[in-house]
Amino acid sequence: MLTEAARVSAQTAAPLLQVRGLEAWYGESHVLHGIDLDVASGEVVTLLGRNGAGKTTTLKSIMGVIGKRKGSVVLEGTETIGLPSRAIARLGIGYVPEERGIYSSLSVEENLMLPPRVRPGGLSLEQIFTLFPNIKERLRSQGTKLSGGEQQMLAIGRILRTGAHFLLLDEPTEGLAPVIIDQIGATIRKLKQDGYTIILVEQNFRFAATVADRHYVVEQGKVIDMIPNDQLDANIDKLHGYLGV
Amino acid sequence: MFEILGVPAQALFGQLLLGLINGSFYAILSLGLAVIFGLLNIINFSHGAQYMMGAFVAWMCLNYLGINYWAALLLAPLVVGATGIAIERLLLKRIAHFDHLYGLLLTFGLALIIQGVFRNQYGSSGLPYQIPPELRGGQNLGFMFLPYYRGWVVVASLAVCLATWFLIEKTKLGAYLRAATENPTLTQAFGINVPLLVTLTYGFGVALAGFAGVLAAPIYSVNPNMGADLIIVVFAVVVIGGMGSILGAIITGFSLGLIEGLTKVFYPEASATVIFIIMVLVLLVRPAGLFGRAA
């Protein structure tokens, strides 16, 4: 657990993740045009922006699961731009993709146990079942037989097992019922309390405001603004303009 | 001697056993193809040549090194698997991002080269390989005569198929393999070494072909063309079962062997084509194959 003072000092120290001039391509199409962002240890940061702005691509590029990327992504002092995604994962990043990535050819239990441990200090199965009791009842089911909410919990649960302390969550609330969204929000706040660092892609900035420290606004493959959560109210009109709501 | 449906029982069961033996080879070979196709998306046309290599390695072990059948049964798949690993690392890896067709052409070319090399060295008349002394002879079961070696082929194939199924469906390594087959990008993003899995999978699939080759050596003569003759039928089996289905490959392999055997008894004229007729029917009704998942 980080105290407020520790968190402030962490922010002034070298960031956990430093992204500079990140560019990325899907085949021929140039999607990111120079993303710059910093994430301090223990922070929850969101990427906001319209559809197609490049939020998901930014997460994919940090994780190294995109065709071609350029620029600089430094994680805890290690330049990762030339590394394959399996090596990036081993540095302690856990990735929850937008489509959740639950395997239909694996049971729920196999899905949960699949990602190898990358750091000591991952959650035990009991701790994961305490966070997400639904999963425990369904261990034998086929992964994709779970409801959307349960799949999301499984996708988050399986990376908490690995000991990764830096999580990339791509729209964890998309398409879910409000009661499930509340449960996921509570989970993210608990993870933040426990010192996890999180980048969250969100369409729903009302949800984002309940969990995040800062918001980066992404437009046309660039970061165009950064709004601290405590100044969100003062910037609400500007943000509405960015997001077109 | 009693008769079943107007056919002497001896003939019926004899053909069924023969069908089961052919089915054993269909099953092991189509299983290897299915495993390779699942993860690598490559239609491994050199599978027949690799089966032939298994038989030749067993023959070389015996004639050059004095290594007997039982040791060759372990050694030949390892040797053939190792050549498979080299092929994957040196060649297949480079075309992994291209269309299926490139892999098919490359492995087809490899098959021609491998067969050509062996034909050049050993001719194409075939070399004899003795049944191991422990399995010579047979047993009269009353309704048919069972040669021990043929019984062994069926049992060994079934055991290897079931072990492979267990490995893929029930173990942690198998879960990695299934995950990498379904979503390689995400699996890699969890820190799993997918390229290594790909290499090992190709090596394993090819080793299965080598194993089948050793089993076949005492039954068919060891011949550079033995795989080329078989592989076309095996591809039909794979199409019928559905590419990429493990259990489907095993069940379809054994069943089609039996159907072929039965056809030999009841309508011998069709025995060489029955599998292809079934293939056409299956393609018309279920293009993804009996056990395949539609893409």
Side-chain angles (χ1 to χ4, degrees), chain A residues 26-101:
Chain A
Y26 285 115
E28 293 294 300
S29 83
H30 195 174
V31 186
L32 298 187
H33 299 271
I35 295 275
D36 295 316
L37 57 87
D38 292 315
V39 181
S41 182
E43 255 194 320
V44 175
V45 164
T46 67
L47 304 181
L48 300 176
R50 299 181 198 211
N51 273 330
K55 310 181 296 288
T56 292
T57 311
T58 302
L59 285 199
K60 285 185 174 175
S61 304
I62 292 170
M63 200 63 235
V65 291
I66 192 154
K68 182 182 165 197
R69 53 184 201 145
K70 238 170 65 177
S72 167
V73 177
V74 176
L75 181 73
E76 288 184 296
T78 306
E79 176 59 71
T80 66
I81 201 78
L83 297 180
S85 62
R86 63 175 186 276
I88 296 173
R90 297 273 175 186
L91 295 172
I93 304 193
Y95 176 49
V96 177
E98 185 176 14
E99 67 283 6
R100 301 181 189 119

Side-chain angles (χ1 to χ4, degrees), chain A residues 63 65 84-87 89-90 93 95 97 99-107 110 113-116 118 144 158-159 161, chain B residues 168-196 293:
Chain A
M63 200 63 235
V65 291
S85 62
R86 63 175 186 276
R90 297 273 175 186
I93 304 193
Y95 176 49
E99 67 283 6
R100 301 181 189 119
I102 300 304
Y103 297 93
S104 67
S105 51
L106 272 62
S107 68
E110 286 174 324
M113 304 305 285
L114 182 79
V118 293
T144 44
R158 73 178 166 190
I159 57 166
R161 235 195 86 250
Chain B
I168 293 173
E169 296 295 336
K170 300 290 166 198
T171 66
K172 180 87 186 190
L173 185 66
Y176 283 162
L177 183 83
R178 276 174 285 140
T181 299
E182 188 176 333
N183 189 342
T185 308
L186 181 64
T187 307
Q188 173 107 321
F190 286 140
I192 295 167
N193 192 338
V194 175
L196 180 65
R293 273 166 280 191

Side-chain angles (χ1 to χ4, degrees), chain B residues 3 24 33 36 50 76-77 99 113 142 148 167 214 219 221 243 251 273 276:
Chain B
E3 292 192 351
S24 303
L33 284 174
I36 290 172
Q50 282 149 338
D99 191 81
I113 293 171
Y148 290 135
L167 176 73
V214 185
I219 298 185
S221 69
M243 267 292 191
I251 294 172
T273 44
F276 298 98

